[in-house]
Amino acid sequence: QSVLTQPPSVSAAPGQMVTISCSGSGSNIGKNYVSWYQQLPGAAPKVLIYDSTMRPSGIPDRFSGSKSGTSATLGITGLQTGDEADYYCATWDSSLSVVVFGGGTKVTVL
Amino acid sequence: EVQLMESGGGLVQPGRSLRLSCTASGFNFGDDAMSWVRQAPGKGLEWVGSIKKKVHGGATEYAASVEGRFTISKDVSKAIAYLQMNSLETEDTGMYYCIRVGYGSSWYFDNWGQGTLVTVSS
């Protein structure tokens, strides 16, 4: 049972948009920045979003992050087959004093 | 270019020890924070622990599941980070990733190694 809750899976057709939610509490998302990671099949994870809304250099603007209260959201527009992957949110939990990850969301391009 | 290469994984019996190494290049290893994250087969990501930036004293923090059994350290002269794992349990089985921690307004897991597989089994 993860501290951060993500939907197990989302899907959409190529070119469409998907959003992935990450729900937490006042001690984690409510107090701290969120980062998002993409893990392609058989590969190591890669950072997509940091500081809840910022994209590292090289990450296309099809990927976006937002945060409101105790929830964060990753958006992917113009969905491509290469976006099929697992996506994870992460943040610091100030009560537990640990880094917490969401359980992961599998994105399928129909 | 930042490069991280993990090594030292393998098959080990429960209760035994293993030391993972992470050879780093392409950044100021002595100053930066490093973390380890693991992933059990078919499961999600789990933070193992971190060693803070030099400016923050290089203190270490660990997940409750490994506290007291695992130790993270850095050899700055060799640019190698270590994860010493003692009293291994079958639940410790998984891929272990070494990570360089980046900073914006806050931390994030910036650069990841390819991982090294640890299997704890009798």
Side-chain angles (χ1 to χ4, degrees):
Chain A
Q1 195 84 359
S2 301
V3 173
L4 304 180
T5 301
Q6 298 180 232
S9 63
V10 297
S11 61
Q16 297 299 304
M17 173 180 174
V18 294
T19 59
I20 300 170
S21 60
C22 176
S23 178
S25 68
S27 65
N28 42 64
I29 294 178
K31 279 188 174 182
N32 299 295
Y33 289 98
V34 176
S35 51
W36 289 90
Y37 303 88
Q38 176 195 60
Q39 187 175 31
L40 295 170
K46 177 179 78 171
V47 61
L48 290 178
I49 298 291
Y50 68 96
D51 287 353
S52 301
T53 62
M54 303 300 292
R55 280 188 312 276
S57 59
I59 300 301
D61 59 7
R62 300 188 299 108
F63 295 92
S64 64
S66 64
K67 192 185 98 164
S68 179
T70 59
S71 291
T73 301
L74 174 71
I76 311 173
T77 59
L79 204 59
Q80 302 174 0
T81 55
D83 297 332
E84 287 202 330
D86 294 321
Y87 293 81
Y88 297 89
C89 57
T91 189
W92 178 258
D93 190 294
S94 300
S95 293
L96 300 174
S97 295
V98 296
V99 174
V100 290
F101 280 98
T105 298
K106 183 175 185 62
V107 169
T108 300
V109 181
L110 302 172
Chain B
E1 179 192 5
V2 172
Q3 292 194 338
L4 300 168
M5 178 73 74
E6 301 93 337
S7 60
L11 175 63
V12 61
Q13 293 178 326
R16 303 298 289 265
S17 297
L18 201 63
R19 188 178 77 166
L20 306 183
S21 299
C22 172
T23 303
S25 63
F27 63 99
N28 195 335
F29 179 79
D31 287 348
D32 283 3
M34 301 292 292
S35 293
W36 290 87
V37 165
R38 68 184 179 183
Q39 186 170 34
K43 302 298 183 181
L45 302 175
E46 180 189 13
W47 175 70
V48 173
S50 299
I51 185 165
K52 292 186 176 181
K53 295 175 70 167
K54 179 179 178 181
V55 70
H56 296 148
T60 52
E61 300 169 307
Y62 300 97
S65 58
V66 306
E67 179 87 53
R69 298 189 300 125
F70 289 13
T71 302
I72 297 173
S73 62
K74 291 168 69 176
D75 185 331
V76 176
S77 66
K78 296 180 180 178
I80 299 177
Y82 297 103
L83 178 63
Q84 176 68 43
M85 304 185 293
N86 299 331
S87 303
L88 282 161
E89 304 168 353
T90 55
E91 293 78 14
D92 296 318
T93 293
M95 186 71 79
Y96 283 72
Y97 295 101
C98 168
I99 301 159
R100 171 186 168 268
V101 177
Y103 286 87
S105 297
S106 182
W107 62 269
Y108 61 99
F109 297 135
D110 193 358
N111 306 100
W112 297 61
Q114 286 305 300
T116 187
L117 184 62
V118 173
T119 303
V120 184
S121 175
S122 54

